[in-house]
Structures are given as C-alpha cells and as structure tokens.
C-alpha cells in the first residue's frame, strides 16, 4: 500500500514538472523561438500563453524593443588634420529573432563594436566643419555604415544614429574664438563705414541746399548759437558772418568768374539709395528711392524796398554842436 502511494506521489510530481515546462508566457514585446533537440523550429511563437513539449523543447525569448546603446567616445584625426573626440548613440532593434540568436553569439556586443569602428571611420572621412555644422549628413552616413553589415546577416536594423558631442583641443577652441571675433569686428567696421558714407552724402546734400540761400546759413548759425548757449558755458564764441567773408572775397584783387559764381554744385551720388535700403530693411517694408525732384525748392527772399519819406518834412538837417564855440547851429528847410 505504501509503495502505491509513493508511485502516485511521484507521478503527480512529474506531472507538475511537465506542466511547468510545457506552459510558457511570452510578453507583448517579445518573440519566442523553439529549439527542439537543438534544432530551431521555423515557427515563431507570439505573445501570450504557449505550450511546448516538456521533453526535447526549449524556448528562448528575444526582445523586439528598440534599444538605445551609447557608443564610447572615440578619438581620431579628421580629413583636415584636426584631432577630435566624438561619442554617439545608436538606436536599433531586432527584426529577425532567428538570425539574431543563431547567426551572432551576442548581438549587443557585436553592434557596440561595429558602431565604434564605424565612428572612427567616419571621423577620418569627414572634416571638422562637417562634424560641427553638418550633423544630419554625418548621422545618415554613419547609420548606413553600421546598418549595412548588420541587417542582412544578423537580423538587426539600425533605426537612427546621433552624434552627441564633439570635443576639440583647447588650442583649436581658442583659434575658433579668435576667428569669430575677427569676423564680428569686420562686420562692425563695414557697418560703421557704410553709415559714415551715407551721413557724409546727406551732409553734402544739405550743404548744397543751404549754400543756395544765405538766409538758411544764418538760421543754421543762430540755431548753433542757441544750442551752445543752452549748455551754460561761460565763454561764447561767435563766428564771422559768411556775408562778411564774401564781401572781402569780392574786394580782393584777382580774376573773378561771375559766370560760375551762382552755379549750383551737382552731386552725383547723395547716398539716397543706400539710406532708403537701410531704412527699408529696418522697417521691413519697401521704401522708394528718393529723387532730386522730391526736394522742395527753396523760395527766394525778396529784398526789402527802401522806405521814402521816413523823416518829417519839417526837419531835413540835424543840428550838430560846434566844437569851437560850443553853440548849436541849425537851419530849417
């Protein structure tokens, strides 16, 4: 009786072991590969509860998720002979679980080594400016190099490769900083010179307009005097009137050229086009170019007529003291 009970207990234990070995659970992000006596079955088990033979079958689960692997930093020399240190990130996933488990022993380690060698290769093929400014093209080329030997024989597809950081030597960083400073200095000097050129043309145009009318020069002189006097200066310097200088110029001996005296000076380039373009760029709108006809003409000042008969008719001469006698003499008209 005891022997029968022992046999029954042994059979129950064997049944439990067989049930445990027969029922397998595959997760949603996994695929199950069945090895039957060492040979891979072509049928791949999907997610859920699956049953295998308790004797002779073995299941291996393969993760089908996208894996992000950090590539260690690699040192290399670019095509333009610059020593750099570059690290990257590789995103890949398994597309064929049978190839990933049968054709390669450890596909994670294989992908890591392939990414490191490909990164060193792309460093030697690229220039420093491409690694810094053209990241997209470098990433695409690096992905192609890594994916070419892995997807077909290994069943691993490289989804994306991103270069994280490019480390440059300190001497190269200082050289690039000096280059950037020199470029900004060059732009600043060009802008300053362009502004001075436009301002000088506008001043020349204003001087040409004011030279046609002496009253405009006097008004400008008075305006300057008012601005100087408003600064609480103890000394005020009054310039010589322009009319007085012209009087001495006319009285000076020498050949005169009256035919060229009143001819206006024609300025070929007043800088109006440059100023209009600059103002249009600032205001984000189109400003038409200024023409010479847009400047309103300066009205001529008519001379004041002489007032006749300002003195009363009774008085025609003013009495003057006699220096010898001290008596005042006068005559009436």
């Amino acid at each position: 009786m005891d022997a029968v009970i022992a046999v029954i207990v042994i059979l129950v234990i064997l049944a439990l072991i067989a049930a445990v070995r027969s029922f397998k659970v595959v997760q949603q992000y996994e695929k199950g590969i069945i090895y039957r006596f060492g040979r891979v079955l072509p049928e791949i088990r999907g997610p859920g509860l699956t049953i295998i033979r308790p004797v002779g079958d073995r299941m291996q689960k393969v993760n089908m998720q996208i894996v992000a692997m950090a590539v260690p930093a690699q040192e290399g020399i670019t095509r333009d002979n610059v020593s750099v240190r570059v690290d990257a990130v590789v995103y890949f996933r398994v597309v064929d679980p049978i190839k990933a488990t049968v054709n390669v022993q450890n596909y994670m380690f294989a992908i890591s080594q392939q990414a490191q060698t490909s990164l060193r290769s792309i460093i030697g093929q690229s220039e420093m400016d491409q690694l810094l400014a053209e990241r997209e093209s470098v990433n695409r080329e690096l992905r192609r190099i890594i994916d070419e030997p892995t997807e077909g024989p290994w069943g691993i597809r490289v989804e994306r490769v991103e270069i994280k950081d490019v480390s440059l030597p300190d001497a190269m960083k200082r050289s690039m900083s000096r280059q950037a400073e020199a470029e900004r200095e060059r732009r600043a000097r060009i802008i300053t010179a362009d502004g001075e050129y436009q301002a000088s043309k506008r001043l020349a145009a204003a001087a040409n307009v004011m030279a046609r009318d002496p009253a405009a020069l006097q008004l400008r002189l008075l305006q300057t005097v008012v601005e100087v006097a408003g600064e609480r200066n103890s000394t005020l310097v009054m310039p010589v009137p322009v009319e007085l200088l012209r009087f001495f110029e006319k009285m000076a001996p020498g050949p005169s050229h009256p035919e060229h005296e009143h001819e206006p000076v024609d300025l070929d380039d007043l800088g109006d086009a440059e100023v209009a373009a600059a103002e249009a760029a600032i205001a984000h709108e189109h400003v038409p170019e200024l023409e010479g006809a847009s400047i309103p003409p300066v009205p001529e000042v008519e001379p004041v007529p002489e007032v006749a008969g300002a003195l009363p008719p009774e008085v025609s001469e003013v009495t003057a003291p006699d220096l010898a006698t001290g008596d005042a003499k006068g005559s009436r008209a």
Side-chain angles (χ1 to χ4, degrees):
M1 189 63 183
D2 294 337
V4 175
I5 295 173
V7 172
I8 293 174
V9 171
I10 292 173
L11 292 176
V12 171
I13 293 174
L14 291 177
L16 292 176
I17 293 175
V20 171
R21 291 180 59 89
S22 299
F23 294 98
K24 299 292 182 180
V25 177
V26 180
Q27 300 297 329
Q28 181 66 37
Y29 53 86
E30 295 176 338
K31 294 291 185 180
I33 301 175
I34 304 300
Y35 290 90
R36 181 165 293 174
F37 296 106
R39 187 179 65 180
V40 179
L41 298 181
E43 182 183 359
I44 299 175
R45 304 297 175 87
L49 181 63
T50 183
I51 299 175
I52 63 174
R53 294 180 181 181
V55 179
D57 287 356
R58 181 176 62 88
M59 176 180 284
Q60 182 177 356
K61 300 177 183 179
V62 180
N63 193 339
M64 305 297 291
Q65 292 177 317
I66 295 178
V67 181
M69 176 183 292
V71 182
Q74 303 295 316
E75 294 183 357
I77 300 177
T78 60
R79 192 167 58 181
D80 51 352
N81 297 327
V82 178
S83 178
V84 295
R85 183 181 178 88
V86 183
D87 56 353
V89 180
V90 179
Y91 300 89
F92 65 92
R93 65 184 181 91
V94 178
V95 294
D96 193 341
I98 296 178
K99 291 181 179 180
T101 55
V102 175
N103 295 348
V104 60
Q105 182 178 6
N106 186 356
Y107 66 87
M108 298 285 290
F109 179 75
I111 289 293
S112 176
Q113 296 300 314
Q114 178 67 23
Q116 293 180 29
T117 55
S118 301
L119 184 58
R120 286 195 294 267
S121 176
I122 204 67
I123 290 174
Q125 297 176 5
S126 305
E127 296 183 356
M128 184 190 64
D129 294 338
Q130 294 178 350
L131 294 176
L132 295 176
E134 301 178 5
R135 292 284 186 91
E136 295 296 332
S137 60
V138 176
N139 292 338
R140 287 194 300 268
E141 183 66 19
L142 185 58
R143 175 190 174 278
R144 186 191 64 81
I145 295 176
I146 299 175
D147 187 67
E148 184 176 357
T150 57
E151 184 173 0
W154 295 353
I156 308 296
R157 178 178 298 171
V158 179
E159 299 290 343
R160 191 170 72 255
V161 180
E162 298 288 341
I163 294 178
K164 290 200 304 184
D165 187 21
V166 179
S167 300
L168 300 175
D170 295 337
M172 181 59 62
K173 292 181 180 179
R174 291 191 294 268
S175 299
M176 295 175 65
S177 300
R178 290 195 298 268
Q179 180 183 359
E181 292 177 0
E183 179 66 20
R184 294 189 183 93
E185 183 68 20
R186 182 185 69 86
R187 294 180 182 178
R189 290 185 177 181
I190 290 176
I191 293 173
T192 303
D194 191 14
E196 292 180 354
Y197 170 75
Q198 296 175 7
S200 62
K201 291 298 181 181
R202 282 303 179 92
L203 288 176
N208 186 21
V209 174
M210 295 176 65
R212 300 174 185 176
D213 190 2
L217 295 176
Q218 293 296 330
L219 292 176
R220 182 59 181 169
L221 176 61
L222 295 177
Q223 183 180 0
T224 305
V225 172
V226 171
E227 292 177 358
V228 173
E231 298 180 358
R232 299 180 180 179
N233 294 327
S234 59
T235 304
L236 182 60
V237 178
M238 294 295 294
V240 179
V242 181
E243 286 77 5
L244 184 59
L245 296 178
R246 290 180 178 177
F247 174 75
F248 285 113
E249 183 180 358
K250 293 179 180 179
M251 296 301 295
S256 61
H257 303 279
E259 63 275 5
H260 301 288
E261 184 176 358
H262 299 287
E263 291 184 358
V265 180
D266 187 12
L267 300 178
D268 296 336
D269 186 10
L270 302 180
D272 295 336
E274 292 83 352
V275 175
E279 293 176 353
I282 294 174
H284 300 284
E285 61 183 5
H286 177 71
V287 178
E289 297 184 358
L290 299 178
E291 299 179 355
S294 61
I295 302 176
V298 179
E300 298 182 358
V301 180
E302 298 180 358
V304 180
E306 296 181 359
V307 181
L311 296 178
E314 291 83 4
V315 181
S316 61
E317 294 182 3
V318 181
T319 58
D322 190 0
L323 298 180
T325 60
D327 296 336
K329 297 181 180 180
S331 63
R332 294 182 180 270

